[in-house]
Amino acid sequence: MASKDGNEKAKGAQGAGDNKEKRRKESILDLSKYLEKSIRVKFAGGREAAGILKGYDPLLNLVLDNTTEYLRDPDDPYKLLDDTRALGLVVCRGTSVVLICPMEGMEAIPNPFIAQE
């Protein structure tokens, strides 16, 4: 009788796994509205790039064309310089993407949490 209960528990655990496999995870971001439009991407570690979104997948891997990287200050890695570097066609790994924003309608504002001089 113990083996029968064990088999039922095993089947119950298997059924739960099957249910998870059937249910497809949906991405919380809908990037389809940004296809063929300019976006800016911030990466873990402080790098930033801008380009035209050509494609993406559910893991947030991005394909950008006409990509420009914004270079950072060597003394302060989180401070961007006015210098840029043209990269062309780029595949961005989704695990390193921190922020995605459209270039149109984006406006830089001063940090409200830093005391202004």
Side-chain angles (χ1 to χ4, degrees), residues 29 41-47 60 93-100:
L29 291 177
V41 182
K42 292 187 181 186
F43 299 96
R47 282 189 167 183
L60 239 53
R93 188 171 169 94
T95 56
S96 64
V97 172
V98 174
L99 179 114
I100 301 171

Side-chain angles (χ1 to χ4, degrees), residues 36-81:
E36 300 298 327
K37 294 185 180 168
S38 292
I39 62 169
R40 188 161 178 160
V41 182
K42 292 187 181 186
F43 299 96
R47 282 189 167 183
E48 292 189 33
I52 300 170
L53 182 64
K54 293 293 184 179
Y56 65 96
D57 68 7
L59 299 175
L60 239 53
N61 296 312
L62 307 174
V63 178
L64 299 177
D65 197 11
N66 297 332
T67 307
T68 303
E69 179 184 10
Y70 296 92
L71 300 177
R72 298 176 288 172
D73 186 357
D75 299 327
D76 184 5
Y78 291 100
K79 182 178 179 186
L80 294 178
L81 299 175

Side-chain angles (χ1 to χ4, degrees), residues 31 40 90:
L31 295 177
R40 188 161 178 160
V90 174

